[in-house]
Amino acid sequence: MWRMRLDSSTACLALEVRDPDLLLTRFYTLDTHTYTLQQLDLPQAKAWWQGLEDAEHGHVYVHGYGNRQMGQHKGIAAFSEAGYGKVWEAEELAFYGIAAAGILAYNPQQPELPLLALNPQTGKSTGITYTQQQAAEEVARHSQTRLGHCLYPVLYREGEVYFEQVQTFLQEQLQVQPVQALEYAETQNWLVVSFYTSGEEGKLQNELAVFDLEGKLHRKMKIASDLNGFGSDTFFIFNHKLYYILNKDILQVFQLLA
């Protein structure tokens, strides 16, 4: 499982699953109310060269590649979360983010040009444009609104003050030695930490721990091993539920009491 994105307007989770051995990529949606899983209808011949950008407005937004060697994103395709196929496509533009005005996109061949706001239902330009600075501010502002009920962790790297503070807490509570990076999220009742410890042959092991605000451990599990480096967004919290990926291919959900 490569990437997850949440459509907070529909409580639908978009999933990108990649098989590097077979060069296959599949995209799914998961209804977080009913846990109904549905595969998006994309041509498998092209799917390896596509990737998940985001999900919102009942659509899953997928990118293609302009320069495959450089990993340059080009093309935006919107697919219906309800299984109605492709809704629209903008082949010459690249996805930047989601703002109140719509889908913000730029020309990858001329990235210095103003960014365009696209109608999320049609992919057509609304006529609204933004500078790079304005686009960054609009996306950040809108993220606080649309993901207000969703909490993503903050990534702290080794050497940063907050990394050292959480590292000390974990050393005292779990007798472990976190290394390289960790992710931290705090709700009104819970502390959730994703951290890494050193394994055999320099590989990393990723563990997830859930504490109450008094520091009492309620759940601890190893979610990945034999890693070459650390990742980000290893978990998120939505509607009092903790979502995380186990061993790269299993989505698990843990209920957090309100």
Side-chain angles (χ1 to χ4, degrees):
M1 201 168 299
W2 187 258
R3 184 172 286 111
M4 296 187 296
R5 291 293 183 266
L6 178 70
D7 182 343
S8 60
S9 66
T10 62
C12 185
L13 189 64
L15 307 169
E16 177 184 348
V17 180
R18 304 183 77 87
D19 186 334
D21 295 327
L22 299 178
L23 297 182
L24 290 177
T25 304
R26 293 183 175 90
F27 300 89
Y28 299 87
T29 57
L30 177 70
D31 187 319
T32 62
H33 294 307
T34 63
Y35 297 109
T36 302
L37 187 67
Q38 180 171 266
Q39 184 176 344
L40 297 183
D41 184 18
L42 278 78
Q44 281 301 305
K46 288 183 57 180
W48 178 253
W49 297 110
Q50 293 181 299
L52 176 62
E53 289 282 14
D54 213 327
E56 188 71 352
H57 312 107
H59 297 156
V60 176
Y61 300 103
V62 174
H63 69 77
Y65 287 97
N67 186 322
R68 294 177 178 178
Q69 292 183 338
M70 299 295 292
Q72 180 193 61
H73 292 191
K74 181 181 179 182
I76 309 169
F79 290 85
S80 165
E81 293 174 357
Y84 300 132
K86 186 189 297 182
V87 180
W88 57 263
E89 185 171 12
E91 296 182 349
E92 301 303 318
L93 298 176
F95 183 95
Y96 180 83
I98 300 175
I103 306 301
L104 301 195
Y106 64 95
N107 185 335
Q109 303 302 319
Q110 296 178 291
E112 71 282 358
L113 295 179
L115 286 85
L116 306 175
L118 308 181
N119 184 312
Q121 302 303 326
T122 65
K124 303 297 184 183
S125 174
T126 64
I128 302 173
T129 62
Y130 295 98
T131 64
Q132 290 280 352
Q133 180 64 34
Q134 290 172 332
E137 293 172 352
E138 289 296 320
V139 170
R141 184 180 300 112
H142 190 59
S143 292
Q144 294 178 354
T145 301
R146 77 183 185 99
L147 299 177
H149 298 292
C150 182
L151 179 62
Y152 284 91
V154 179
L155 176 68
Y156 298 120
R157 292 178 171 83
E158 199 166 14
E160 297 178 349
V161 174
Y162 287 114
F163 175 90
E164 296 175 356
Q165 291 179 355
V166 180
Q167 180 189 53
T168 299
F169 171 77
L170 294 173
Q171 288 171 336
E172 294 173 350
Q173 299 296 320
L174 304 178
Q175 290 74 54
V176 297
Q177 181 63 35
V179 298
Q180 293 199 20
L182 55 82
E183 291 188 298
Y184 177 90
E186 180 176 335
T187 72
Q188 291 182 336
N189 300 298
W190 303 99
L191 308 176
V192 184
V193 186
S194 170
F195 62 94
Y196 299 85
T197 56
S198 297
E200 297 180 0
E201 300 180 355
K203 298 288 187 176
L204 297 179
Q205 177 173 287
N206 188 196
E207 299 188 58
L208 190 64
V210 181
F211 302 88
D212 61 29
L213 296 187
E214 295 179 353
K216 179 182 177 181
L217 178 68
H218 285 256
R219 187 176 180 88
K220 177 177 176 289
M221 51 278 193
K222 180 174 68 175
I223 60 175
S225 57
D226 296 323
L227 301 173
N228 293 319
F230 64 86
S232 62
D233 292 342
T234 53
F235 71 90
F236 67 90
I237 300 168
F238 179 59
N239 284 345
H240 306 296
K241 294 177 181 177
L242 172 64
Y243 292 78
Y244 59 92
I245 300 299
L246 180 65
N247 296 326
K248 299 182 181 180
D249 58 8
I250 301 174
L251 174 64
Q252 292 196 339
V253 185
F254 177 66
Q255 179 72 52
L256 296 173
L257 298 179

